[in-house]
Amino acid sequence: MKLHRRALQSPLLCTALLVALALLPSSCLSGREPKFAAKAAPALGPPDSLSPAECAQLAEGDFILSWGRQASGAVIAGSMAERWPVSHCGILVGDGAGFQVIHACMGLLSDQAVDGVQVDPLARFCADSRPDSLLVTRLRAPSAARRAMAAQAREYLRRRVPFDRRYELADDRALYCTELTWRLVTAATGEDFFQRAGLPVGDKAFLPFSA
């Protein structure tokens, strides 16, 4: 898992934050500085994974980001050209006995052939990542807010919200991965801290992975 190697209890701020969480106080889980440039896809060796010590620091409501192994992952990461190249994200639900990741994904890229909000075991989500690409962030907010984000994610899963192929932010009838995160954070905090960025194609107000 690639982040700055810091203890969870440290008050230091994380500079690798999801979407506009860079504008909020937030803490890093453990990790290491990425070794690759934003546009240089690492070789497709073994997927990244979380060590037992890293898993022990996870909590419900944490966000996990990855650089997918599919060709689309390289396209997304290269097009966004962000400091930490990633192509997908989700929210952790559950506990140390068995974390899962709720995320929004196109059906053609989903192991479950589910088009929209879906859930995968944490190990399965990590198995789809490129080497040295996983990032984990936590919103520094009351635990009740993080639990509320997880509960809302479960509600989207229950509703089987489809993937947002039009990348519209007007409502939550369909969601893409960072749109899901945006809705969870804004609902929990009552504020919209998120920046907008133009899509690689078209003129939509796309929500990027970092601010």
Side-chain angles (χ1 to χ4, degrees), residues 43-154:
L44 278 180
D48 204 357
S49 61
L50 304 180
S51 70
E54 289 168 336
C55 287
Q57 298 183 76
L58 301 178
E60 184 167 74
D62 289 347
F63 294 103
I64 184 167
L65 301 86
S66 71
W67 188 351
R69 298 175 69 84
Q70 304 93 339
S72 60
V75 172
I76 293 170
S79 298
M80 301 304 289
E82 299 181 270
R83 182 179 179 186
W84 281 272
V86 290
S87 63
H88 195 44
C89 61
I91 184 171
L92 290 174
V93 297
D95 54 36
F99 280 109
Q100 296 179 302
V101 181
I102 294 179
H103 57 114
C105 184
M106 286 185 180
L108 59 88
L109 301 177
S110 169
D111 291 337
Q112 308 173 53
V114 174
D115 191 70
V117 178
Q118 55 201 272
V119 63
D120 279 308
L122 175 59
R124 175 64 262 172
F125 186 90
C126 294
D128 287 333
S129 67
R130 291 173 182 263
D132 301 325
S133 70
L134 291 176
L135 301 171
V136 175
T137 68
R138 177 175 301 165
L139 179 66
R140 185 173 292 168
S143 57
R146 296 195 297 272
R147 288 195 300 270
M149 292 191 298
Q152 183 59 53
R154 289 188 178 96

